[in-house]
Amino acid sequence: MAVWALGINHTTAPLDMRGRFAFASDQIGPQLHGLRQSMARPPEAAIISTCNRTEIYCAGDEAALDHTLSWLAQSGGVSAHELRSHTYRLEDQEAARHAFRVASGLDSMVLGEPQILGQLKDAVRAADEAGALGTTLSQLFQRSFAVAKEVRSSTEIGAHSISMAAAAVRLAGNLFEDLAQVKVLFVGAGEMIELCATHFAARNPKAIAIANRTLERGEKLASRFGGEVMRLADLPERLHEFDAVVSCTASTLPIIGLGAVERALKKRKHRPMFMVDLAVPRDIEPEVKALGDVYLYTVDDLASVVQTAQASRQAAVAQAEAIVDAGVQSFMHWVDQRSAVPLIQQLNAQADEWRTAELARARKLLAKGEDVDAVLEALAKGLTQKMLHGAMAELHAGDAAARERAGSAISHFFLRNKR
């Protein structure tokens, strides 16, 4: 069984390229179906898609990395040649090591961040619901979760972590003297927005508002922070009211355009606006960044901020990598053992056939009134003869080399207690 992984992330592809391959949660099932059906022998498959990465994990009779690359390129509307330079392609133990490092936060923009583990679990759940998750990938991911748990409990890899949310607050604090005088608008109501709202709320801003496509979800989040909720349709007319805007939705197209921001700045008499776009694809048109009174940051722009806390955690990385290596070795040993499963099944089936035949013969003898001890003796002898027949035949073979090989194997399997 081969295991392979193909992906792009924040270190290999720019934001706009990653945006082409960002799959919404409701797209994962259909995309998995399309990927598997595009191959002659559908493999096990799972897709993880976040703002920083899109990765495909597969398991099958043989690795099909080129086909996987072509399929992903087609789904994003680019050529396989163009995409290839932005991808990493991994097989077997390297694919396992990558999955374990991702789950443990070792491959994240924010070293040790815990959010990726939840996203990976969501991806596994989606693959399972789509019927694409088999025994091998299930083992791979369950082991990755166990490794991640050990890394977090045994090392300081996550200590003093600066998340994207905390980085956004830090940048806002650099722009505004007093965040208590700032009105903040959050666009979206997902996990990342909830995290950002929590961090901003801790600084007691003047006002908090949530703009979301679904009012019910927006209201639930707004109530936690004493904020108001508004419809996305009202955003262009109210954008000028807010000093800081943090957006992270699953929209495939920008929802805050250049014209809307220009009109907002005019109404604000060009008082500065702080904007953070955490979405992939982008929520805010990139041209907004060129406006003189707007400070717009994307997920990639925040990288330098989150790096500042990395140095204090580097000492824990070696320890975490050792845990990952041990997990990889254990998984690959399990994969190697899986190759013997068909032979084990055949051996068990043969033994069951012999047992059934001898039991049937013994029952007939008992029904005829034969002595019980004699029947048991015959049963044991019959089973023994069947089990040893192949070995005896090999030992009596005419080829001396064959007899020597058979003798060595028989000694190993049948006479090990005599050594």
Side-chain angles (χ1 to χ4, degrees), residues 117-130:
L117 183 58
Q119 294 167 330
L120 192 56
K121 288 181 177 180
D122 289 341
V124 172
R125 190 178 302 111
D128 191 28
E129 291 173 354

Side-chain angles (χ1 to χ4, degrees), residues 23 83 88 106 121 192 251 279 294 299 339:
F23 300 120
L83 179 60
Y88 37 92
L106 290 169
K121 288 181 177 180
M192 180 58 79
S251 175
V294 173
V299 287
S339 64

